[in-house]
């Protein structure tokens, strides 16, 4: 069993591939002995009844696997989110092939037809670990079912409200990306900040994280404006924002399209030297660097070096580009394979291993789970430069003691 993806990164090789376990096939031979009777055997007075061949009882669901532990992947395989769900499923298969594991068997279940039903079926068929679901509402449906069965959940959601009590989040948390880019800006001399925040739950959490991060970095927020996603909504928020200009940097807690609309208006009102800051949403947009209005903007992201190698391998195998979030599925398998050496077949998944303080390595870089069940990630800061992204502050290699 290999313990890491064969993507050619030296750090990953040292950590994962140096320890390999040879595949062992064991065969058991039964010894037979012949007993010779000392005297003739008298025939019975009554004829014996012929033996009746009774069929073996048939078990419902998947056949038992005595060599591998069962892991369930719960993602949308149909419906409006089928594209990203299938990309995650493909990524998990690629990780299984790359690691060469013989300890884990992954079975896919479609959450689009009912996440609770998918979880019940997976657990009924012997799953001891659940990877997924993707959507927060699906996690809420699955979590109590899994907890009752003592089955941990490694979700791909980034909604912190669903974490804990046996559910772990691998998704990219907005609070971490905001804190990373704010602290980078403060290190570059920015002391005054402003923010553009969309209405809704994501905006509420982003604004809370932004205020805490700026305070922690020793800066001040001079203006924080919210807007609805309606025609002219963000332009109106920028107009209100400029009443407090100038400021050193503005966080736009939204996707690339909204940010590209707001950036020229911000610089017109506050000055061309005002820095534009983005969130983790930009990391999943492949066209973010192609927006000229965002040239010079900073945003925090998981490292992209190994991801590019993974994406090339994915395209070669599936003849399509992967969704950026699919790397979560790949890394979830790497984590599972690493822990599987301490996971006897047929026994419960060793959940305590998920809280290893040293964390885990994946194609998205180093990560570890805190007491809240949310993945803490080592993030880098990227700058958009002339149609591409450049790393201006590398991610740390791991977590210090």
């Amino acid at each position: 069993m290999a313990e890491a993806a064969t993507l050619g990164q030296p750090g990953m090789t040292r950590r994962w591939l140096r320890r390999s376990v040879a595949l062992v096939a064991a065969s058991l031979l039964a010894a037979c002995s012949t007993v010779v009777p000392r005297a003739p055997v008298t025939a019975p007075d009554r004829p014996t009844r012929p033996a009746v061949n009774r069929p073996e009882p048939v078990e419902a669901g998947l056949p038992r696997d005595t060599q591998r532990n069962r892991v369930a992947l719960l993602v949308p395989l149909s419906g409006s989110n089928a594209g990203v769900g299938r990309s995650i499923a493909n990524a998990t298969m690629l990780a299984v092939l790359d690691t060469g594991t013989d300890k884990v068997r992954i079975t896919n279940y479609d959450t689009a037809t009912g996440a609770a039903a998918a979880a019940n079926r997976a657990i009924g068929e012997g799953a001891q670990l659940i990877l997924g679901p993707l959507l927060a509402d699906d996690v809420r449906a699955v979590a109590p079912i899994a907890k009752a069965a003592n089955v941990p959940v490694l979700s791909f959601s980034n909604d912190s409200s669903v974490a804990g009590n046996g559910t772990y989040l691998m998704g990219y948390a907005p609070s971490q990306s905001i804190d990373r880019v704010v602290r980078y800006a403060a290190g570059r001399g920015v002391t005054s900040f402003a923010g553009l925040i969309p209405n809704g739950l994501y905006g509420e959490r982003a604004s809370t994280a932004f205020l805490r991060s700026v305070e922690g970095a020793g800066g001040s927020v001079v203006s924080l404006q919210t807007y609805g996603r309606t025609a002219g909504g963000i332009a109106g928020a920028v107009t209100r924002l400029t009443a407090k200009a100038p400021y050193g940097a503005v966080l736009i807690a939204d996707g690339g399209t909204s940010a590209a609309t707001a950036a020229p208006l911000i610089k017109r009102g506050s000055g061309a030297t005002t820095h534009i800051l983005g969130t983790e949403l930009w990391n999943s947009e492949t066209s973010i660097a192609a927006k000229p209005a965002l040239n010079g903007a900073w945003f925090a992201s998981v490292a992209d070096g190994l991801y590019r190698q993974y994406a090339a391998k994915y395209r070669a195998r599936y003849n399509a580009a992967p969704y950026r979030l699919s790397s979560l599925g790949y890394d979830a398998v790497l984590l599972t394979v690493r822990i599987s050496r301490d996971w006897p077949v047929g026994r419960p998944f060793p959940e305590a291993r998920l809280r290893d303080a040293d964390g885990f390595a994946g194609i998205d870089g180093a990560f570890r789970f805190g007491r809240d069940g949310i993945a803490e990630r080592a993030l880098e800061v990227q700058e958009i430069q002339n149609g591409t992204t450049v790393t201006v502050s590398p991610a740390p290699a791991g977590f210090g003691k």
Side-chain angles (χ1 to χ4, degrees), residues 181-396:
V181 74
V182 163
R183 291 184 180 276
Y184 174 77
R188 295 289 298 270
V190 176
T191 58
S192 60
F193 295 80
L196 285 174
I197 310 294
N199 293 330
L201 183 59
Y202 180 88
E204 291 174 8
R205 291 175 177 167
S207 63
T208 300
F210 181 52
L211 291 170
R212 288 176 178 172
S213 296
V214 171
E215 180 182 5
S220 61
V221 176
V222 298
S223 183
L224 188 66
Q225 300 296 328
T226 61
Y227 60 91
R229 290 190 173 91
T230 57
I234 197 166
V238 174
T239 299
R240 298 190 298 271
L241 199 71
T242 56
K244 298 288 187 178
Y247 20 73
V250 178
L251 174 76
I252 306 175
D254 209 337
T257 300
S258 295
T261 299
L265 304 176
I266 291 170
K267 295 196 173 187
R268 191 179 307 154
S270 180
T273 60
T274 302
H275 294 288
I276 303 299
L277 311 180
T279 73
E280 88 294 341
L281 294 176
W282 294 14
N283 179 59
S284 59
E285 295 189 33
T286 56
S287 62
I288 190 72
K291 301 181 185 299
L294 296 180
N295 196 51
W298 298 327
F299 67 100
S301 168
V302 292
D304 278 338
L306 285 175
Y307 176 81
R308 294 188 184 100
Q309 297 180 42
Y310 153 77
K313 183 176 289 188
Y314 183 105
R315 283 191 294 268
R317 181 170 185 83
Y318 298 109
N319 197 31
Y323 279 74
R324 184 61 182 83
L325 287 176
S326 68
S327 60
L328 297 177
Y330 192 102
D331 283 356
V333 173
L334 292 188
L335 178 158
T336 304
V337 170
R338 178 182 172 186
I339 293 177
S340 66
R341 65 172 178 255
D342 299 323
W343 183 15
V345 174
R347 300 290 298 278
F349 181 81
E351 183 179 346
R353 291 291 312 278
L354 292 174
R355 297 184 287 272
D356 186 342
D358 292 334
F360 305 91
I363 58 176
D364 279 339
F367 67 97
R368 64 180 176 183
F369 294 105
R371 292 182 178 180
D372 56 5
I374 299 173
E376 175 190 355
R377 293 188 172 275
L379 302 177
E380 67 182 21
V381 176
Q382 297 182 18
E383 180 177 312
I384 298 175
Q385 294 182 5
N386 302 317
T388 188
T389 57
V390 176
T391 301
V392 292
S393 179

Side-chain angles (χ1 to χ4, degrees), residues 43-51:
D45 296 333
R46 293 177 300 177
T48 58
R49 295 180 180 179

Side-chain angles (χ1 to χ4, degrees), residues 91-152:
T92 61
M93 177 57 66
L94 191 59
V96 168
L97 295 174
D98 283 348
T99 59
T101 180
D102 63 340
K103 297 294 184 66
V104 175
R105 177 175 180 172
I106 298 178
T107 305
N108 300 341
Y109 298 86
D110 187 4
T111 56
T113 56
N120 278 317
R121 181 184 169 196
I123 292 170
E125 292 179 344
Q128 297 283 8
L129 175 67
I130 290 176
L131 308 183
L134 173 64
L135 305 178
D137 285 344
D138 287 347
V139 179
R140 292 187 182 93
V142 167
I145 297 170
K147 181 63 178 177
N150 196 32
V151 173

